[in-house]
Amino acid sequence: MGGKVEKQSETKVFGGWNRRYKHDSSVLGCSMTFTVYFPSGSNSKLPVLYYLSGLTCNDENVIQKSGCQRAAAQHGIAFVAPDTSPRGLSIEGEDESWDFGSGAGFYLNATQDKWKQYRMYDYITKELPEVLGQFDELDTSNAAITGHSMGGHGALVIGLRNPEQYKSISAFAPICHPVQVPWGEKAFGNYLGSNKEEWKQYDATKLAKSYKGPQRDILIDQGSKDNFLQNQLQPEHFEKAAAGNQALQCTLRMQEGYDHSYFFMASFMDDHIAHAAKHLK
């Protein structure tokens, strides 16, 4: 699964290397890119922090804008940034909307025939770790997950559904209750069909209520001036659901004056990498 990786570029930063790769994905049926930041100086295999990006982004946005390499180097963690959707499948309508189709895979496995190649859930949880297994420097059995917006939704859902695979979960401004907000209704309706019972498996708030795995300490940062806060994100719903589950502890930090941008993420990225490091080591 996943095929051989080909290095596309590399850039040195904070003593380590951003390396961008391309491979042919058997899960998605297209070529995919991902970027890994490899810190230097470790004599043992590196734990892995997966970062899932938001709508319209690819693997490069967070690498170029967040300053994640500084804290990743400090803690000796490999920072892995995959793309957000399949690309170039020539599906009618895949490039018509910024919040659906290309750049908007929502980290689920589509069930509708037209979108059946949109299987980002399987790509992130199965194929990408197998591809990363080709790197001797990485220990994919020691992994954490985080993300922003749509990617925050993905991190919460994937982390809660696969507690044996991810030792730490955090998120920046996540879409917490997608079954009842416009972004989620549009994506889930098209990818999964009209049966809303099927949607619940990809809703973090629903999953928090039913979660029965090991204890998880989840960090969420949310900007108070985020234009999407009430209409699309609804972190208070997840916080309430987690509070009712003894296996979950959710720390929701409302950050005064911050918006939805990479400026917000860059301001708190170090905290999220430190959060992951605490559980990875």
Side-chain angles (χ1 to χ4, degrees):
M1 184 186 293
K4 183 179 179 181
V5 296
E6 299 178 4
K7 186 165 66 175
Q8 304 295 294
S9 64
E10 67 176 11
T11 307
K12 191 168 187 179
V13 55
F14 290 106
W17 294 91
N18 296 323
R19 294 190 173 114
R20 195 180 196 211
Y21 299 94
K22 182 179 181 180
H23 74 109
D24 291 329
S25 167
S26 59
V27 167
L28 304 176
C30 64
S31 293
M32 292 292 286
T33 58
F34 63 90
T35 298
V36 182
Y37 174 69
F38 294 90
S40 64
S42 176
N43 294 320
S44 58
K45 286 197 171 187
L46 298 165
V48 172
L49 175 58
Y50 294 92
Y51 173 89
L52 307 184
S53 289
L55 292 164
T56 74
C57 293
N58 61 21
D59 59 296
E60 292 190 297
N61 299 80
V62 69
I63 294 296
Q64 295 175 355
K65 297 179 179 180
S66 73
C68 59
Q69 297 89 346
R70 178 178 56 247
Q74 176 186 347
H75 292 284
I77 293 174
F79 191 93
V80 176
D83 204 348
T84 52
S85 77
R87 303 279 180 175
L89 296 178
S90 300
I91 300 172
E92 182 183 1
E94 69 179 346
D95 296 320
E96 290 181 0
S97 301
W98 67 273
D99 57 356
F100 179 77
S102 295
F106 270 84
Y107 305 101
L108 50 72
N109 288 337
T111 57
Q112 301 304 291
D113 285 345
K114 181 177 179 179
W115 302 101
K116 62 184 179 181
Q117 287 175 262
Y118 273 65
R119 299 182 62 82
M120 288 300 294
Y121 181 89
D122 278 355
Y123 178 74
I124 297 298
T125 61
K126 296 178 181 179
E127 187 171 32
L128 184 57
E130 186 169 319
V131 170
L132 294 174
Q134 299 179 40
F135 297 97
D136 292 337
E137 305 98 317
L138 304 181
D139 179 7
T140 56
S141 68
N142 192 18
I145 194 163
T146 189
H148 171 237
S149 194
M150 177 186 72
H153 141 76
L156 293 174
V157 167
I158 288 173
L160 290 171
R161 287 183 57 176
N162 301 274
E164 74 289 344
Q165 193 167 344
Y166 307 97
K167 297 179 179 178
S168 170
I169 306 168
S170 73
F172 301 85
I175 305 170
C176 288
H177 208 359
V179 300
Q180 65 173 34
V181 301
W183 279 341
E185 290 173 342
K186 179 178 181 177
F188 289 9
N190 282 284
Y191 290 136
L192 302 174
S194 59
N195 183 357
K196 293 189 176 183
E197 286 299 309
E198 295 294 318
W199 298 10
K200 293 179 181 179
Q201 63 183 307
Y202 299 111
D203 185 288
T205 296
K206 299 289 186 182
L207 293 171
K209 292 178 180 179
S210 60
Y211 177 79
K212 296 179 181 179
Q215 191 76 34
R216 284 292 175 263
D217 170 19
I218 299 172
L219 172 63
I220 297 176
D221 274 312
Q222 172 64 61
S224 68
K225 297 297 184 181
D226 190 323
N227 291 335
F228 304 114
L229 176 55
Q230 295 304 323
N231 192 41
Q232 302 281 14
L233 306 179
Q234 300 184 352
E236 70 279 3
H237 291 235
F238 182 83
E239 181 185 36
K240 182 178 180 181
N245 189 328
Q246 292 184 348
L248 297 176
Q249 178 180 337
C250 176
T251 301
L252 171 60
R253 305 193 307 187
M254 294 299 298
Q255 304 292 359
E256 185 62 33
Y258 286 90
D259 60 14
H260 199 70
S261 70
Y262 279 90
F263 297 114
F264 156 64
M265 275 193 293
S267 300
F268 302 102
M269 179 61 75
D270 288 8
D271 291 352
H272 285 249
I273 293 175
H275 175 81
K278 178 177 65 175
H279 297 283
L280 290 172
K281 296 184 178 182

